[in-house]
Amino acid sequence: LGALIFALKICMAPLPNIEPVTLMLMLITLVFGARAFASASVYILLEGLVYGFSPWWLCYVYIWPLLIFLTLPLRKYRSRFLFSAVGGLFGFAFGFLFIPVFYFTYDLSGKLIPYIMADIPFDLIHAGANVIIVFCLLPPLRTAFERILGKYTAQSSLRSKARQNDLDTEGNEDADAARRRRTADKLH
C-alpha cells in the first residue's frame, strides 16, 4: 500500500499541494490500524530513494507517522465531517511541522516570521484540498476496503476452521479423507 500511495502522489504531482497521501494514510489507519506504519514507512522510503534524502525527507519521517497517531484513536468513528476536519487541520499544520528541521538546517533565525507568512497560502490550499478529498473519498473507500478485508478475513477464518476440523477428526482418518467426507456431507 505504501507503493500505491507513492504512485498516486506522482499522478497528482502537477497539482500544487493537492495530494492523496493524507487520505490514503488515514484510510489505511482506519481499516488496518497500527499496520499503517508499515505502509507509511514504504512510502517515506520510496520518496527518499526517488527524490533524495534531504531535510524535507527527514521531516516526512515524523510528519506522516504523526498523522497515523492522530487517526488511530478515531477508528471507531465514521463521521466524514470529523475526518475532513482532521485532514484539513493536518494539511494546514503540514508546513509548520517542517519548522523544527528547517529552522536549523536553513538557519531561519530572524527569518522565521517571513517563512511562515510565505507558507500560509500553500498550507491553506493543502488544507482545503484535504477537506474536499477526505470528505468525498474516505467514506466510500473505507467501506470498500472493509468489505474486501471482511471477505478475506471470513475466507481465512473458514480455512482455519477447516484445518482445525481436519486435525480434530477421530481415529486415524487423514486430512484428505476428512475433506472428502465434509464435501460429501455438503452435497447431501
Side-chain angles (χ1 to χ4, degrees), residues 69-146:
F69 277 119
L70 293 172
T71 306
L72 274 171
L74 306 175
R75 290 182 72 199
K76 63 183 173 185
Y77 299 103
R78 300 201 73 82
S79 169
R80 71 175 54 213
F81 297 101
L82 172 66
F83 295 120
S84 296
V86 170
L89 290 171
F90 187 79
F92 185 73
F94 192 79
F96 293 94
L97 294 170
F98 282 80
I99 291 174
V101 172
F102 282 15
Y103 186 83
F104 297 105
T105 306
Y106 299 115
D107 188 24
L108 293 180
S109 57
K111 302 174 227 161
L112 185 59
I113 300 299
Y115 170 83
I116 291 171
M117 297 304 290
D119 195 46
I120 286 177
F122 297 100
D123 291 333
L124 288 172
I125 293 169
H126 195 175
N130 278 357
V131 167
I132 293 167
I133 290 171
V134 170
F135 186 85
C136 294
L137 296 178
L138 185 68
L141 287 173
R142 184 178 186 183
T143 300
F145 268 59
E146 287 172 343

